[in-house]
Amino acid sequence: MRRSSVPSTRIRTPRPVLAAVALSVSLTACSAQAADGPTRDAEPASKAPPAKVTVVDPTAGRPVTVTASGGTIATVKVVDADGGALTGRTGAGGARWVSDRKAAPGSTYTVEVTSRAADGKESTTRSSFTTPEPERVNKLTLAPGKNTTVGVGHPLSIVFDLPVTRKADVERQLKVTTSNATEGSWGWVKDYSGRDRADWRPREYWKPGTKVTLEADLNGTDSGGGWFVRDYRTGFTVGAAQIVRVDLDRHTLTVRRDGRTVRTIPVSGGTPGGDKRSWRGTAVLMAKEGTINMNSETVGLGDAYDKMVDHSMRLTWSGMYAHAAPWNAAHFGKANRSSGCIGMSDADAASFYALVNVGDPFEITGRDTKGTVDEGNGYGAWNLSWERWKTKSALG
């Protein structure tokens, strides 16, 4: 009978005590298993130390470099303050990462590196660095304008604000793409303004309909005269195959489109025997400027003239135009009596102005001229042979 009283006492024992006993047993059981070795489901503790990651802070104009010792690099993210990312490539068996682009001057970058230890465990480190501000910033002007349509003679032209003494470094960052794999080359010339200029011209005149794009990935490039702090993009389309031929000996101007003559106009060119002579060679229509003031003092001529001129079409920076010249009407088709420009009647100038496009080449011939249009005096690159033009590339 005494045995039966014991169970009744245990039943009244509070449940929290039993729970504590059960927890204690459970912990003891786990400890016993750990002493004998890990169970099949337990993960082994990592004994390999994490990889040591080093970000080499670059000076401006150099790639970002990341190295890892005691492991490998899994991923690298380098982002500037504007959210622009520097992509890169991993080499040296995964122990080194180098950005494809150079770090730009005056920029702050954040770097996030995920590395992998010898046992495969990954870890992430974050850091940042700032490159020094540039002492001088170089900028540029592109021609033709973006999304324009131009004639078959217009080169892709870049004029730099500051000197470019590291021309090869700059040229490597200039990528030209055409819709029909046009053969062409960069050439460095001295612009009429005295500034450095790079033109990309095809081997022959563009084919009509060609689409041209330029990617100038210059951000972070040192020109030698200043740093570039941005990239540039432009693109244009080539229009009709239209060529203007000016025969100063016959005093005529002929427009040919797709190989057919569509217009012939009597003209008067520059007066023979002195500074008023016209240029010969191929000039390219640079701009249709309409009605402008022409002053002889701006082109170094002694007997001054100062007048408003209609339907003005610029051919060189030195001041040669095709334009209306009603004051010279007695000489159209008969003699060259202008101050160096190609003059025609008001009516002919108006219709011709409407017909031609910026980029149309003017092929000018004549016995008594003051020389060939220089490659920097407007777009005179066509006056050099293809082989000679290619030698003007900084990349050989």
Side-chain angles (χ1 to χ4, degrees):
M1 296 298 292
R2 292 178 179 175
R3 292 179 180 272
S4 62
S5 63
V6 174
S8 62
T9 303
R10 290 177 178 171
I11 290 172
R12 286 193 293 271
T13 303
R15 289 185 181 274
V17 174
L18 292 174
V21 172
L23 180 60
S24 174
V25 172
S26 176
L27 289 173
T28 303
C30 287
S31 299
Q33 290 176 356
D36 296 334
T39 62
R40 181 176 299 176
D41 296 332
E43 294 185 2
S46 174
K47 295 182 180 181
K52 181 180 179 181
V53 174
T54 302
V55 179
V56 181
D57 293 2
T59 57
R62 294 184 179 277
V64 180
T65 302
V66 179
T67 61
S69 58
T72 56
I73 297 171
T75 62
V76 177
K77 296 179 181 178
V78 181
V79 182
D80 64 23
D82 296 325
L86 292 181
T87 60
R89 302 173 187 276
T90 303
R96 179 183 175 89
W97 181 95
V98 180
S99 64
D100 298 324
R101 296 286 304 276
K102 303 168 185 176
S107 300
T108 297
Y109 294 89
T110 58
V111 184
E112 181 179 289
V113 183
T114 299
S115 59
R116 189 174 292 117
D119 61 359
K121 185 176 181 180
E122 292 186 348
S123 58
T124 300
T125 60
R126 295 175 180 83
S127 62
S128 64
F129 65 89
T130 301
T131 55
E133 291 287 342
E135 292 184 6
R136 292 189 297 176
V137 174
N138 206 345
K139 298 179 182 179
L140 55 83
T141 302
L142 294 168
K146 189 174 184 180
N147 299 326
T148 55
T149 298
V150 297
V152 297
H154 206 307
L156 177 56
S157 185
I158 305 175
V159 179
F160 299 90
D161 285 3
L162 297 177
V164 180
T165 60
R166 304 179 67 165
K167 291 180 173 61
D169 290 346
V170 171
E171 189 175 330
R172 288 189 186 95
Q173 303 305 117
L174 307 177
K175 180 182 178 182
V176 178
T177 304
T178 67
S179 59
N180 52 16
T182 301
E183 181 183 6
S185 174
W186 288 104
W188 289 85
V189 303
K190 189 65 70 174
D191 187 68
Y192 193 76
S193 65
R195 294 179 292 175
D196 287 321
R197 192 176 103 196
D199 286 1
W200 196 95
R201 56 151 276 202
R203 180 169 187 163
E204 300 173 342
Y205 291 151
W206 297 102
K207 292 182 179 178
T210 302
K211 295 185 181 300
V212 185
T213 59
L214 167 68
E215 297 173 88
D217 292 333
L218 291 169
N219 193 10
T221 301
D222 181 9
S223 71
W227 290 89
F228 295 102
V229 295
R230 56 162 291 193
D231 296 332
Y232 295 83
R233 300 287 185 273
T234 193
F236 61 92
T237 302
V238 180
Q242 189 162 264
I243 299 172
V244 179
R245 292 179 177 170
V246 180
D247 188 335
L248 295 175
D249 295 332
R250 295 178 179 272
H251 320 295
T252 59
L253 177 154
T254 303
V255 182
R256 293 179 62 82
R257 182 184 298 153
D258 298 324
R260 297 183 299 106
T261 299
V262 296
R263 186 75 191 276
T264 299
I265 298 172
V267 298
S268 179
T271 303
D275 292 338
K276 291 184 178 182
R277 291 175 294 175
S278 299
W279 293 104
R280 68 174 179 271
T282 299
V284 174
L285 180 56
M286 302 173 64
K288 297 166 71 173
E289 297 180 5
T291 300
I292 62 173
N293 176 259
M294 289 192 180
N295 189 316
S296 61
E297 294 178 357
T298 64
V299 292
L301 295 179
D303 54 340
Y305 60 82
D306 188 351
K307 61 181 69 178
M308 301 303 295
V309 179
D310 295 330
H311 308 301
S312 298
M313 296 159 272
R314 181 182 283 274
L315 298 175
T316 70
W317 283 124
S318 62
M320 185 168 73
Y321 284 79
H323 61 75
W327 57 86
N328 212 16
H331 302 295
F332 297 149
K334 300 176 182 178
N336 295 320
R337 290 293 184 270
S338 80
S339 296
C341 294
I342 300 164
M344 62 198 80
S345 71
D346 280 329
D348 284 339
S351 61
F352 180 60
Y353 189 93
L355 182 64
V356 294
N357 299 307
V358 170
D360 285 350
F362 280 54
E363 299 176 348
I364 306 168
T365 59
R367 290 187 299 272
D368 195 354
T369 61
K370 58 184 173 183
T372 302
V373 176
D374 183 77
E375 56 265 35
N377 187 11
Y379 302 126
W382 298 108
N383 295 312
L384 299 181
S385 69
W386 174 240
E387 294 304 321
R388 177 76 180 91
W389 178 254
K390 288 193 299 181
T391 66
K392 300 181 81 64
S393 166
L395 300 180

